[in-house]
Amino acid sequence: MKNTERFSNRVTDYEKYRPHYPVAMIPYLSATVGLTHNSVIADIGSGTGLSAQPFLDNGNTVYAVEPNDAMRASAEQQLGRFPGFKSIAATAEHTTLPNNSVDLIVAGQAFHWFDQVLTRKEFHRIAKPDSFAALMWNIRPTNSPFEYDYEQLLQQHGTDYKHMQQRNVSAVQLASFFLPGTFREKTIQNAQRFDFKALKGLLSSSSYMPARSHENYGPMIKDLEDLFNKYQENGMVVFKYETRLYTGRLSE
């Protein structure tokens, strides 16, 4: 399966249950990379629009670049009401955006899928002089017993979860993507509360877990139900995410 097609059969769960990005990142980016209401944003690998939403709420024009037809259609349905939302069928390596047209490039939960050499060249092409990029991930810690046991469930049932872990990009690698001396890291606390239906949807949204048609899907959901019943309080469990932002200037 191509990387651009991994989520085609999981779009509904992805859009409903994946963590959103905290509004607090907007004032942080305003203070550190000069984001304003007038900034033109290129959201690369924009998926169902979770990473575009905070910028659209901020009044920005957002070019949402997404190669997956199903995910892009979901974003268009969810975000088409915003006049600044521009949906683009393209890849990180060939965005089709004009030269020197973008004030800030963002990638939410997607950069590890890109060809970094070709992407860096493309980012330089579309960015205005002195522009920045912001690479963002919602990271799920394993600090609580529930979070630890959920991680064990992923390890046990994941079809290629270990391969996905190996794709994680380190801060050292990310720093080398940017102009030397301009790299910044920032962590913002984030959280989600789930009933069992939502927790099941979150698990089902992950491309490295068995799909609903897979023979192991039923046993996986049974283990998930046992996990939920063990840790739920008043019918809910909580994931405490860390939203990690990595920013830097692309060129002089």
Side-chain angles (χ1 to χ4, degrees):
M1 180 187 296
K2 294 180 180 179
N3 288 338
T4 57
E5 298 173 355
R6 288 184 67 93
F7 296 96
S8 295
N9 61 343
R10 304 172 189 265
V11 169
T12 300
D13 287 328
Y14 195 105
E15 190 277 324
K16 284 185 177 180
Y17 303 119
R18 283 295 182 100
H20 289 238
Y21 291 91
V23 175
M25 74 181 192
I26 296 298
Y28 171 76
L29 292 173
S30 298
T32 56
V33 306
L35 175 70
T36 71
H37 300 295
N38 297 319
S39 298
V40 176
I41 313 297
D43 182 5
I44 311 299
S46 52
T48 62
L50 296 178
S51 48
Q53 177 87 53
F55 296 98
L56 292 166
D57 287 336
N58 191 50
N60 297 110
T61 295
V62 179
Y63 289 93
V65 178
E66 173 54 51
N68 184 288
D69 292 341
M71 298 191 84
R72 193 174 62 255
S74 177
E76 290 167 357
Q77 182 178 7
Q78 299 297 321
L79 303 177
R81 68 186 187 278
F82 289 96
F85 175 72
K86 314 295 182 183
S87 183
I88 308 293
T91 66
E93 298 81 6
H94 183 61
T95 65
T96 74
L97 296 177
N99 294 346
N100 305 320
S101 60
V102 174
D103 296 298
L104 175 66
I105 299 173
V106 302
Q109 219 77 15
F111 184 77
H112 51 285
W113 296 113
F114 305 161
D115 181 309
Q116 292 181 34
V117 174
L118 296 178
T119 296
R120 191 171 191 272
K121 182 178 180 181
E122 180 70 351
F123 281 14
H124 276 261
R125 184 187 68 79
I126 68 175
K128 295 178 182 178
D130 299 326
S131 293
F132 285 81
L135 310 177
M136 311 180 296
W137 280 270
N138 280 314
I139 304 297
R140 178 179 41 77
T142 56
N143 298 327
S144 73
F146 164 65
E147 292 164 348
Y148 176 83
D149 284 353
Y150 184 82
E151 174 68 19
Q152 298 310 301
L153 185 146
L154 299 183
Q155 296 280 355
Q156 177 183 351
H157 290 285
T159 53
D160 58 351
Y161 182 56
K162 292 180 181 179
H163 173 67
M164 291 301 99
Q165 290 178 307
Q166 292 169 1
R167 293 186 65 92
N168 290 343
V169 184
S170 70
V172 173
Q173 289 174 284
L174 292 173
S176 67
F177 188 80
F178 298 108
L179 192 68
T182 68
F183 180 65
R184 291 174 180 258
E185 301 178 56
K186 174 68 173 179
T187 297
I188 300 174
Q189 300 303 314
N190 200 2
Q192 278 184 299
R193 292 172 54 83
F194 293 109
D195 60 15
F196 180 70
K197 178 182 178 181
L199 183 64
K200 178 181 174 182
L202 174 69
L203 183 67
S204 299
S205 76
S206 300
S207 66
Y208 46 74
M209 303 306 290
R212 295 177 189 274
S213 58
H214 195 284
E215 63 182 359
N216 292 335
Y217 183 79
M220 176 185 72
I221 296 303
K222 177 61 171 64
D223 287 348
L224 182 70
E225 188 172 14
D226 291 343
L227 180 69
F228 178 84
N229 290 334
K230 180 179 178 180
Y231 290 108
Q232 63 84 22
E233 294 184 10
N234 298 317
M236 305 291 286
V237 292
V238 178
F239 276 120
K240 295 180 180 179
Y241 289 94
E242 294 179 349
T243 300
R244 296 181 188 171
L245 286 86
Y246 304 92
T247 60
R249 195 182 295 277
L250 295 168
S251 62
E252 296 285 4

